[in-house]
Amino acid sequence: MDSVHENEWLMRWREGRIGFHREAAHPALVRYWPRLGVPGDTKVLVPLCGKSLDMRWLAERGHPVLGIELASQAIAQFVAEGEAPASRYRQGDFEVTRQGSVELWCGDFFHFHLPQAAEVGAFYDRAALIALPEATRQRYAFHLAQLMAPGSRGLLVSLTRPDNAGPPFCVEAAEVERLFGANFELVHLDDAEPEPNGFRESVWSLKRRGPY
């Protein structure tokens, strides 16, 4: 994420402009995650996680969760809304907060590298790709592919909207295929009904391709 969009993201959290946050697990996660066949003890990477309750949903099903978030306010709010005690430590460029089986790494996703992702075996992206401007999305897709081992699976929720404003940004199906197709096997699972504002979510299953 470039510095302009980083500042905008941090400002949103400071001002409480987080209309993208849901007060329950995302329906696409609940419906489609079990279909991926990810073993219950697999650690799940959640980029640009905010304070998403999707992480608690995954943790309740046995998954260790590793969320990465730039805004410290989001992490503080997630912990405050939980019941378990939290511990904190540093890991490279990141301040890590652990609550139960959820680890929240405060910092830049692009500074998270393969050695730190060694235990990660799956990923979930509901609001990372669509939070990034077009110029950064290719970098994001490539970095995510570098972090995931061959055969690992993930669930992606993309978004289309009737204008070019954002975030969240419009990411058409053709762009999803262009960004991820070289490194992942893609399956388009579903298109949600359009919302009154014209936003429409699409759900994708991804599987990291093996070495050739």
Side-chain angles (χ1 to χ4, degrees), residues 31-38 153 189:
R31 181 175 181 183
Y32 290 108
W33 184 264
R35 303 189 190 185
L36 300 185
V38 178
R153 295 180 178 273
L189 298 174

Side-chain angles (χ1 to χ4, degrees), residues 141-169:
F142 181 71
H143 189 61
L144 181 63
Q146 287 183 309
L147 297 173
M148 305 309 299
S152 55
R153 295 180 178 273
L155 195 68
L156 168 71
V157 181
S158 63
L159 176 81
T160 57
R161 56 185 296 172
D163 55 41
N164 292 321
F169 294 100

